[in-house]
């Protein structure tokens, strides 16, 4: 309206008639004051920081404020009170690639799941745990489902034989990020290093092992039952650790390479330089 009046030097009445604008609408001024409602919304949002618009609207209704929900939503958005999506709490525990190599046994473990199916087409999962330094496979646990508690029991069983690691590298699956797993790590002073989502190369040791497991074992057998899976995995694991030469270990088997550390006490290994370590 202002542009038409300025360009054509027209009065208000003909300009409104040309544009089809009601003069009452042109001169309308809001009489309702949004400031009290805005202040109350901000106060509620500060008191309940994770409450969104629907929950705040219920609190306003309980206080006797019956304003239209669309008006409340407009004021809510204008005040920028939208709840921001919170980052997952696991970021604070360690996320991203591991910077330093594992130089001694039990310094760092890696774990991941491999999936396959029985002859009946029922899916099962295999929890693979390996030592990043010696490449020894510490466990191949097969089951139809794994909870966080199930994982912690498997890790405790491994630790009974080998001791607890300093760090475990793992992905962001629900079992690995569960409260049971976080509690287990805190109680046993084990650091959990979560890889960046979508970056499996940050857990390269166990990913490489999983490829060998699938190629040399899972794809070579037709499993009838879960017991059949467990027996075949146990036999393949023993062969992998004691008979299969590993290129990155100078063509030694993982157990042969791990035996080179047995002549040096753990306290002496801590003071050795990387160049002085076996392999």
């Amino acid at each position: 309206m202002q542009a038409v009046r300025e360009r054509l030097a027209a009065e208000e009445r003909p300009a409104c008639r040309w544009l089809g604008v009601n003069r009452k609408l042109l001169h309308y001024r809001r009489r309702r004051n949004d400031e009290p409602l805005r202040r109350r919304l901000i106060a509620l949002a500060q008191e309940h920081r994770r409450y969104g618009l629907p929950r705040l609207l219920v609190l306003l209704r309980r206080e006797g404020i019956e304003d239209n929900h669309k008006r409340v939503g407009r004021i809510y958005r204008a005040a920028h009170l939208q709840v921001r999506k919170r980052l997952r709490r696991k970021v604070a525990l360690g996320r991203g690639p591991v910077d330093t190599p594992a130089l001694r046994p039990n310094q760092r473990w890696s774990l991941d799941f491999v999936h396959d199916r029985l002859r009946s087409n029922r899916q099962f999962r295999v929890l693979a745990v390996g030592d990043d330094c010696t490449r020894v496979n510490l466990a191949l646990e097969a089951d139809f489902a794994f909870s966080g508690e199930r994982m912690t029991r498997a890790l405790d069983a491994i630790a009974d034989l080998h001791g607890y690691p300093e760090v475990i590298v793992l992905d962001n699956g629900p079992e690995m990020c569960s409260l049971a797993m976080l509690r287990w790590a805190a109680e046993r002073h084990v650091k959990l290093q979560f890889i960046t989502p979508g970056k499996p190369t940050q857990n390269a040791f166990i990913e490489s092992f999983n490829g060998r497991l699938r190629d040399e074992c899972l794809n070579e057998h037709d499993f009838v039952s879960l017991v059949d899976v467990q027996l075949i995995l146990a036999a393949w694991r023993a062969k992998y650790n004691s008979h299969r030469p590993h290129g990155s270990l100078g063509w030694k088997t993982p157990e042969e390479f791990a035996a080179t550390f047995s002549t040096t006490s753990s306290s002496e290994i801590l003071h050795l330089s990387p160049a002085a370590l076996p392999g």
Side-chain angles (χ1 to χ4, degrees), residues 210-220:
N210 288 348
R212 304 283 71 76
L213 172 63
R214 182 167 298 282
D215 183 54
E216 299 176 11
C217 180
L218 298 181
N219 289 348
E220 292 292 311

Side-chain angles (χ1 to χ4, degrees), residues 161-207:
L161 299 176
H162 303 278
Y164 288 97
E166 299 174 17
V167 181
I168 297 180
V169 183
L170 62 173
D171 64 26
N172 299 270
E175 310 87 356
M176 304 179 190
C177 297
S178 64
L179 291 177
M181 192 69 182
L182 299 179
R183 190 182 307 113
W184 176 89
E187 292 174 352
R188 289 153 180 79
H189 307 289
V190 176
K191 178 184 177 183
L192 299 182
Q193 180 75 24
F194 294 94
I195 66 173
T196 304
K199 299 289 185 179
T201 54
Q202 294 179 4
N203 201 3
F205 289 114
I206 200 64
E207 291 291 342

Side-chain angles (χ1 to χ4, degrees), residues 87-274:
L87 293 177
R88 299 180 71 180
R89 63 174 179 266
K90 289 81 192 178
V91 175
L93 301 177
R95 172 167 289 172
V98 180
D99 297 328
T100 57
L103 302 177
R104 59 185 181 276
N106 264 15
Q107 182 178 354
R108 188 172 68 235
W109 292 357
S110 296
L111 61 85
D112 198 9
F113 284 103
V114 184
H115 299 255
D116 207 339
R117 294 180 181 274
L118 301 177
R119 184 181 299 175
S120 62
N121 206 36
R122 184 174 182 182
Q123 190 177 51
F124 65 88
R125 310 176 74 190
V126 179
L127 173 65
V129 185
D131 189 300
D132 287 2
C133 174
T134 64
R135 307 297 200 276
V136 171
N137 174 250
L138 302 173
L140 287 176
E141 293 277 342
D143 211 333
F144 294 120
F146 277 86
S147 63
E149 294 287 351
R150 176 75 170 83
M151 283 190 61
T152 60
R153 291 197 299 270
L155 293 174
D156 279 332
I158 300 171
D160 288 342
L161 299 176
H162 303 278
Y164 288 97
E166 299 174 17
V167 181
I168 297 180
V169 183
L170 62 173
D171 64 26
N172 299 270
E175 310 87 356
M176 304 179 190
C177 297
S178 64
L179 291 177
M181 192 69 182
L182 299 179
R183 190 182 307 113
W184 176 89
E187 292 174 352
R188 289 153 180 79
H189 307 289
V190 176
K191 178 184 177 183
L192 299 182
Q193 180 75 24
F194 294 94
I195 66 173
T196 304
K199 299 289 185 179
T201 54
Q202 294 179 4
N203 201 3
F205 289 114
I206 200 64
E207 291 291 342
S208 176
F209 172 83
N210 288 348
R212 304 283 71 76
L213 172 63
R214 182 167 298 282
D215 183 54
E216 299 176 11
C217 180
L218 298 181
N219 289 348
E220 292 292 311
H221 295 87
D222 182 20
F223 302 106
V224 178
S225 64
L226 188 62
V227 174
D228 189 29
V229 175
Q230 293 166 343
L231 293 175
I232 292 175
L233 287 178
W236 185 85
R237 175 175 172 267
K239 181 179 178 181
Y240 176 89
N241 285 335
S242 59
H243 294 90
R244 186 185 187 278
H246 205 294
S248 64
L249 304 179
W251 298 112
K252 296 178 181 178
T253 67
E255 287 185 353
E256 289 173 346
F257 183 72
T260 62
F261 289 88
S262 61
T263 57
T264 307
S265 67
S266 59
S267 60
E268 293 173 337
I269 289 175
L270 289 174
H271 297 87
L272 288 177
S273 65

